[in-house]
Amino acid sequence: MGHEYCGIVEDVGRGVRSITPGQFVIGSFFACDNACPHCQVGYQSSCQHRALVTGAQAPLMRVPLADGTLVPIRDVPPDDMIPNLLALFGATDIVTERGDEGVGRIKELTRGVGADAVLECVGTQESMMQAIRSTRPGGSIGYVGVPHGVELQGEELFYAHVRLHGGPAPVRRYLPQLIDLVMKGAIDPGKVFDPTLPLDQVAEGYRAMDERRAIKTLLRP
């Protein structure tokens, strides 16, 4: 638990070359070397040496594969910029919270392609099959989150002529460009955070989200 993080580097290991103490950095929930064949085609969350990053709900944390995982920012940002930078952990998921403007940014990031239509389905087997049966032949289905209880019938999927694409978001791929958009003031995805609470009130932050009193809680040490 706790894999949304940004902060100032306190120390680095002997093998780290591109990250130095004092830098403000942003990472993602999968550590990667950003150099393997999977990383080179933009799927850093499937890095051959990936490691799940947890422990961000603490004053200090250790990030493996720092050279590939962390993206440094030239200067330490002002305090009011932190929520926007922290929200980039979710990359395009959070950027699209902004409706039409978000769609415009997605088209910018995808070189004009964007999405023709989006159907948000919540659930398991039934929702996935509904999405498959609602998609035109030759269309694509993108699913986010980890599916549970989903078993697809190979023959029905074959004749549906649709594509399925999902998996952990390759956050490292998009971070540099999204950071640039934030620093220019073009987007402010930090609006997704409702309450800001100190670290010792983490339980209340989860309670607020569980009871739908908050979209997302921002914790500060």
Side-chain angles (χ1 to χ4, degrees):
M1 300 298 292
H3 50 219
E4 304 163 5
Y5 61 95
C6 60
I8 297 175
V9 177
E10 296 287 338
D11 198 4
V12 297
R14 288 177 296 177
V16 177
R17 297 288 180 266
S18 62
I19 303 297
T20 58
Q23 285 184 312
F24 188 93
V25 296
I26 303 176
S28 61
F29 51 84
F30 273 117
C32 68
D33 59 23
N34 205 33
C36 81
H38 302 325
C39 291
Q40 290 300 297
V41 295
Y43 284 91
Q44 288 91 338
S45 53
S46 288
C47 175
Q48 291 177 333
H49 304 104
R50 75 178 183 181
L52 184 62
V53 177
T54 61
Q57 293 171 347
L60 295 172
M61 66 180 295
R62 178 184 178 274
V63 180
L65 300 172
D67 285 317
T69 304
L70 299 176
V71 181
I73 296 179
R74 187 181 63 181
D75 302 310
V76 176
D79 195 60
D80 60 359
M81 186 72 73
I82 302 300
N84 286 329
L85 295 171
L86 183 60
L88 294 184
F89 136 85
T92 52
D93 290 345
I94 292 179
V95 173
T96 54
E97 293 282 348
R98 301 210 54 196
D100 291 341
E101 184 176 344
V103 171
R105 295 302 176 193
I106 294 303
K107 288 191 174 182
E108 179 180 331
L109 292 171
T110 57
R111 299 179 183 178
V113 179
D116 294 323
V118 176
L119 174 65
E120 181 179 2
C121 299
V122 179
T124 54
Q125 180 73 37
E126 183 179 351
S127 298
M128 181 67 84
M129 293 311 302
Q130 179 187 11
I132 292 172
R133 292 164 184 161
S134 300
T135 303
R136 63 170 175 78
S140 299
I141 297 170
Y143 58 94
V144 297
V146 181
H148 293 282
V150 175
E151 296 181 4
L152 301 179
Q153 296 296 320
E155 184 175 355
E156 182 171 358
L157 182 61
F158 178 79
Y159 284 109
H161 238 141
V162 300
R163 303 176 183 88
L164 299 178
H165 196 167
V171 177
R172 179 61 179 82
R173 172 182 177 182
Y174 296 105
L175 274 178
Q177 190 171 0
L178 291 171
I179 290 171
D180 184 59
L181 291 172
V182 165
M183 300 306 288
K184 290 178 179 177
I187 58 174
D188 53 353
K191 289 183 176 181
V192 74
F193 294 110
D194 295 292
T196 298
L197 299 175
L199 187 60
D200 60 5
Q201 293 185 29
V202 60
E204 169 56 24
Y206 272 109
R207 197 156 34 241
M209 291 187 291
D210 181 57
E211 295 172 357
R212 299 299 187 265
R213 292 183 284 112
I215 298 174
K216 203 163 186 65
T217 300
L218 175 64
L219 299 175
R220 292 186 180 272

